Amino acid sequence: MLAVALLVLLCASASANSIQSRTSSYSGEYGGKGGKRFSHSGNQLDGPITAFRIRVNRYYIVGLQVRYGTVWSDYVGGTQGDLEEIFLHPGESVIQVSGKYKSY
């Protein structure tokens, strides 16, 4: 009986350790007061994320476009700022994206 109790305790402990807490970005799911919600749900059917186009200015990210497989998503955001492109190497994948700059 003691062996069964220890086994149950070990399984519960292992299960609790495998649960990861989920945290959102510093200002919610999408930017500050000027941000607008968007979704790329469905784009994953075109393949895994292979690249990003990010428009930035001096203080924050202005816009975003994501490439799924070989297909670019719709561009979301403003037109001001510099456009940067980031391409993933074969075998790389995106696990999580988060960030903060000053009060943004």
Side-chain angles (χ1 to χ4, degrees), residues 12-89:
S13 175
S15 174
N17 288 337
S18 68
I19 297 173
Q20 298 177 356
S21 64
R22 181 170 184 244
T23 59
S24 64
S25 68
Y26 295 99
S27 12
E29 296 176 357
Y30 52 94
K33 295 177 184 176
K36 293 182 182 175
R37 172 173 265 166
F38 67 92
S39 172
H40 283 177
S41 66
N43 290 79
Q44 72 274 11
L45 299 176
D46 294 321
I49 294 174
T50 56
F52 295 94
R53 287 182 181 146
I54 303 171
R55 189 168 296 279
V56 297
N57 70 17
R58 185 174 170 192
Y59 298 105
Y60 49 87
I61 293 173
V62 176
L64 172 70
Q65 189 174 25
V66 180
R67 189 174 76 175
Y68 295 87
T70 59
V71 179
W72 285 98
S73 70
D74 292 335
Y75 177 81
V76 180
T79 58
Q80 301 297 314
D82 298 326
L83 184 63
E84 305 287 341
E85 289 188 332
I86 302 168
F87 292 90
L88 277 63
H89 293 285

Side-chain angles (χ1 to χ4, degrees), residues 11 23 28 92 102 104:
C11 289
T23 59
E92 287 186 318
K102 294 190 179 181
Y104 296 97

